Amino acid sequence: MALVLLRVHGRKPNHGNCVDDYCITVHTDLVDFNSAQMSCKGKGGNLMTIRTMAANHVVSDVLTGHTGDFWIGLRYMNDFCSKSTHDLKGYTWITGDEATNFTNWKKHEDVCSKTCVSLSKDDPKWTERLCHQVVDGYLCEYKNTEKCRQLSSNSPVLYETPFGFAREDLLEVPTGSNATEKHLGTKFICFEGQWLKAPWNCEVFKGGCEHDCKKWNDSFICTCLPGYKLESNAVRCMAHGDPCVRANCSQECVVKGDRSVCQCRSGYELLEDGKTCKNIDNCKNKNLCPDKNSYCVDTAGGYECRCKNGFSMENDTCEDDDECFSGPCEHTCNNIIGSYHCECSEGYRVSSEDRHKCTLYCPLWECPAVECDINNPYQCECPVGFILEERGDGLFCTDIDDCDASLCDHNCTNIPGGFTCSCKEGFHLSGSISCVKTKGFSTPKSVSMVTPTSVSPAIETASFILAGGIIAIIVCAVMVIFLTVCVIHHQKKRFGKITTDKSHSKDVHVLQQVTAEKYVKKSSITNT
């Protein structure tokens, strides 16, 4: 019995499966319809024909994890309009298959140009598009008439098909496929619907041997390289004396008879390949860390119970930390379960920039002064936008009428510690204080809160000056100006007067001397 098998050459497919005497492969190459068909044909197949609902389900399976559109072997090549009343609307499968009545059209409309069909994982409906368009990939199909059933084994089996894809859940295994029992290492090949155990013909995949294959009389045997001996499966080779040398176990290896077995340490589990150990996620067990203020952290081969922020582990219990012990707050610290918060004394509020700090605050038109110099009780600070005022009953921080500074373009409303600007009808605020005309229509008044820091830096320094002191300074300045004017006026009357010289082309103011005699005569004439 001759065993001659061919394998599909070229770029390996991304995925595949077999159903209804055909094997389907997925190829992710950017191609048009004709290029896709040429690629499939070069591998011994054609673009896929979807004949049954089962085949349609396989399409969904093989496209898992793929996005985009994929060509199938359906095209319309006529020069006249298609008939949407027919199942295939005049389209034909590239394989020439006319026995199928299965359809899955996205639209039931007539087509009057040469078009081809694609589909996608997200939208498995048949989509018509121009054949020269480039899509994301295509589906090929290959005949699978002489197939084998799944291998009966207690070990997971990996099937490697001649079409370039491999999977463990293959139901219809094509001729030429290799089957490997993953735990035992025994190999089989599918030939004419039957499984042949390795070694087989040395000309086909080295007879399934790990090292070498030789013909012995009318049969074939596997041989090993020097320093190795053949295992009981007659296919794999192991080092002399210690089968664990070639076991490639990720953690531990034990010898059982003439073969090796991989094992995992506590906290790990052995994967299906029989070699690799995977860490067990112990934290899936919600009862490992029962304390409500703790959480589970999975570690290599184990786990740890850790406390949430604001708690510390004491005697396997997460106890609340007293964060206030370190004095993080400027005024008052209140410890709460798992955290803390700062509070401020009367006349202050928590700073918006630092929740640990307090800033002066007055929500009214005036508030008692609370931050004064211990050595000078009349030297006090007020919140921004307030000025210190002394009255008989004490010192108060009084709101400054910020609107006196005429900062707003239109309307200004004074509020404690600040002011708001608004605009007239037909205008709107641009920024905090400016009004601009609204194009095309009028808008309601816009209002914007402005903090007193935008008024003038001088306001902050003014909070250290008593109101009485300001009034005294103003009165003194007025008196000095008044006395200066009086002195100048008296000197003018005594020493001269201002006349105008009309002989010049322009006015010239000249100071003429007046004698006492002239002054007396002038006075007498005036009295007459």
Side-chain angles (χ1 to χ4, degrees):
M1 179 176 62
L3 181 60
V4 179
L5 300 174
L6 298 177
R7 299 187 77 83
V8 173
H9 297 286
R11 184 176 176 181
K12 286 188 176 182
N14 298 88
H15 203 184
N17 205 344
C18 300
V19 67
D20 294 340
D21 296 334
Y22 288 90
C23 287
I24 314 302
T25 57
V26 182
H27 302 266
T28 53
D29 300 312
L30 297 174
V31 292
D32 58 23
F33 182 88
N34 290 334
S35 298
Q37 168 59 14
M38 289 178 61
S39 177
C40 292
K41 199 170 185 65
K43 298 178 176 67
N46 288 291
L47 281 173
M48 181 184 182
T49 297
I50 303 178
R51 300 169 178 83
T52 62
M53 180 61 73
N56 194 57
H57 290 160
V58 167
V59 171
S60 179
D61 170 70
V62 298
L63 288 180
T64 299
H66 297 289
T67 58
D69 298 299
F70 294 80
W71 291 118
I72 59 175
L74 194 58
R75 61 182 177 178
Y76 184 81
M77 301 302 293
N78 297 323
D79 294 326
F80 50 85
C81 294
S82 65
K83 300 297 182 182
S84 60
T85 56
H86 298 168
D87 289 339
L88 289 179
K89 301 196 306 182
Y91 280 78
T92 56
W93 292 105
I94 204 165
T95 56
D97 195 325
E98 298 180 356
T100 174
N101 292 321
F102 178 81
T103 60
N104 194 22
W105 293 108
K106 185 174 184 178
K107 295 180 180 180
H108 292 276
E109 299 175 352
D110 291 346
V111 177
C112 298
S113 60
K114 295 181 179 180
T115 53
C116 299
V117 175
S118 67
L119 48 74
S120 68
K121 171 67 176 177
D122 296 331
D123 186 6
K125 295 288 186 180
W126 296 354
T127 301
E128 299 161 280
R129 62 177 71 242
L130 296 177
C131 299
H132 66 266
Q133 289 184 355
V134 173
V135 299
D136 302 281
Y138 53 96
L139 303 177
C140 294
E141 70 171 22
Y142 307 91
K143 287 186 177 181
N144 183 31
T145 53
E146 295 182 346
K147 53 184 177 290
C148 295
R149 296 182 179 180
Q150 278 190 331
L151 192 67
S152 178
S153 175
N154 294 325
S155 169
V157 179
L158 178 65
Y159 300 99
E160 299 174 273
T161 70
F163 305 117
F165 67 90
R167 57 190 302 163
E168 294 183 15
D169 59 346
L170 200 58
L171 298 178
E172 299 181 3
V173 185
T175 289
S177 297
N178 291 340
T180 304
E181 293 179 309
K182 299 178 73 172
H183 289 174
L184 303 175
T186 307
K187 288 191 174 184
F188 299 83
I189 191 169
C190 176
F191 179 69
E192 294 183 349
Q194 301 293 325
W195 287 110
L196 302 181
K197 187 177 181 180
W200 53 77
N201 192 326
C202 293
E203 295 180 1
V204 180
F205 314 129
K206 291 196 308 183
C209 301
E210 183 178 18
H211 286 185
D212 292 318
C213 177
K214 291 184 178 180
K215 187 175 181 180
W216 183 262
N217 296 328
D218 293 332
S219 61
F220 303 91
I221 60 172
C222 294
T223 61
C224 299
L225 297 174
Y228 291 83
K229 67 177 182 179
L230 204 61
E231 290 186 5
S232 58
N233 56 33
V235 175
R236 296 198 311 187
C237 298
M238 66 177 179
H240 281 301
D242 186 4
C244 287
V245 171
R246 58 171 305 280
N248 295 323
C249 299
S250 64
Q251 288 190 357
E252 299 175 355
C253 177
V254 296
V255 178
K256 293 185 177 181
D258 61 348
R259 65 188 185 92
S260 61
V261 177
C262 296
Q263 293 182 347
C264 299
R265 295 189 293 269
S266 176
Y268 293 84
E269 60 182 352
L270 193 65
L271 297 184
E272 292 182 354
D273 63 3
K275 299 179 180 181
T276 307
C277 294
K278 178 185 177 183
N279 178 58
I280 298 174
D281 187 0
N282 297 279
C283 291
K284 289 182 178 179
N285 183 354
K286 304 301 181 183
N287 298 321
L288 291 178
C289 300
D291 193 309
K292 65 178 182 179
N293 296 318
S294 67
Y295 62 96
C296 181
V297 177
D298 188 61
T299 60
Y303 70 96
E304 291 181 5
C305 291
R306 298 179 184 176
C307 293
K308 298 177 182 177
N309 290 335
F311 297 87
S312 297
M313 187 71 72
E314 295 182 11
N315 300 323
D316 297 329
T317 303
C318 291
E319 300 291 344
D320 177 55
D321 293 331
D322 185 2
E323 291 87 357
C324 292
F325 180 77
S326 61
C329 301
E330 185 176 15
H331 285 187
T332 304
C333 177
N334 289 326
N335 186 57
I336 58 177
I337 300 300
S339 185
Y340 69 99
H341 70 267
C342 297
E343 293 182 355
C344 298
S345 305
E346 185 178 359
Y348 297 83
R349 66 177 174 183
V350 177
S351 171
S352 59
E353 298 178 356
D354 185 351
R355 68 186 184 95
H356 303 93
K357 302 293 184 181
C358 294
T359 57
L360 288 167
Y361 174 65
C362 178
L364 307 174
W365 295 112
E366 68 173 22
C367 295
V370 294
E371 191 164 307
C372 300
D373 190 340
I374 190 172
N375 298 317
N376 184 1
Y378 293 96
Q379 188 74 17
C380 304
E381 288 190 24
C382 288
V384 176
F386 290 79
I387 190 171
L388 187 66
E389 182 178 320
E390 180 183 6
R391 293 206 300 265
D393 52 349
L395 297 173
F396 294 86
C397 290
T398 304
D399 175 67
I400 299 172
D401 190 349
D402 305 289
C403 292
D404 289 343
S406 301
L407 295 174
C408 300
D409 274 4
H410 288 180
N411 305 320
C412 178
T413 302
N414 188 52
I415 60 174
F419 64 97
T420 61
C421 293
S422 60
C423 300
K424 299 176 182 178
E425 193 74 22
F427 293 80
H428 64 273
L429 276 176
S430 175
S432 301
I433 59 177
S434 301
C435 292
V436 295
K437 191 171 184 179
T438 302
K439 295 182 179 180
F441 60 91
S442 299
T443 59
K445 293 182 179 181
S446 303
V447 179
S448 174
M449 178 72 71
V450 181
T451 60
T453 54
S454 64
V455 179
S456 172
I459 292 176
E460 295 189 30
T461 58
S463 62
F464 297 96
I465 305 174
L466 294 175
I470 295 176
I471 295 173
I473 292 173
I474 294 173
V475 171
C476 290
V478 171
M479 291 180 65
V480 170
I481 294 171
F482 177 75
L483 291 174
T484 302
V485 172
C486 290
V487 170
I488 294 173
H489 183 69
H490 177 71
Q491 291 296 329
K492 285 182 178 180
K493 282 187 175 183
R494 183 176 179 182
F495 296 107
K497 64 179 180 179
I498 300 175
T499 62
T500 303
D501 187 355
K502 297 182 180 179
S503 63
H504 292 77
S505 60
K506 57 183 179 178
D507 293 341
V508 179
H509 300 286
V510 181
L511 183 64
Q512 293 184 336
Q513 184 176 357
V514 180
T515 62
E517 182 180 355
K518 289 182 179 181
Y519 181 76
V520 172
K521 288 182 179 181
K522 184 176 181 180
S523 299
S524 62
I525 294 172
T526 304
N527 293 333
T528 305

